[in-house]
Amino acid sequence: DVAPVAAAFRAAGVNADAMKHFNERIAGTMDLRPLLARIEPPTLVIAGERDPFGGPTMDEIAEALPNPTVVTVPGADHFAFLEPESRAPWSRAVLDFLAD
């Protein structure tokens, strides 16, 4: 049941202090794109159609990987697995990838 998790995300809202801390001290250390070429196993790159990290960002990640599978979940946002209407297509994409 993901309802409690989804409710927590909605209730938390956006905390300006936390966002400022993340942007100033953490975000800059998270760019691991130069290491993507070292990932040899098949890799699922999945994002929602409305995901801010989908589209060109997802394409860039996939292009850097040796063996990517790219899936865009129609109509979904960043947390597709928490969205009732997107949960089934997201799960199907993950299960299909794992079955290959």
Side-chain angles (χ1 to χ4, degrees):
D1 181 12
V2 297
V5 175
F9 277 128
R10 281 192 294 280
V14 176
N15 180 307
D17 291 333
M19 289 298 293
K20 181 179 178 184
H21 175 79
F22 175 81
N23 289 335
E24 290 178 354
R25 301 189 183 219
I26 297 169
T29 66
M30 294 180 65
D31 187 359
L32 302 176
R33 287 175 293 176
L35 302 176
L36 291 173
R38 295 172 46 190
I39 300 173
E40 294 178 15
T43 305
L44 177 61
V45 181
I46 185 169
E49 182 178 35
R50 297 180 300 119
D51 189 336
F53 298 105
T57 302
M58 183 172 67
D59 294 340
E60 180 184 347
I61 290 168
E63 288 171 11
L65 290 163
N67 194 9
T69 296
V70 177
V71 174
T72 299
V73 180
D77 208 329
H78 186 63
F79 295 106
F81 53 90
L82 293 178
E83 301 167 13
E85 65 281 358
S86 301
R87 191 174 302 132
W90 182 89
S91 297
R92 175 57 34 214
V94 172
L95 291 171
D96 288 350
F97 173 77
L98 293 173
D100 284 345

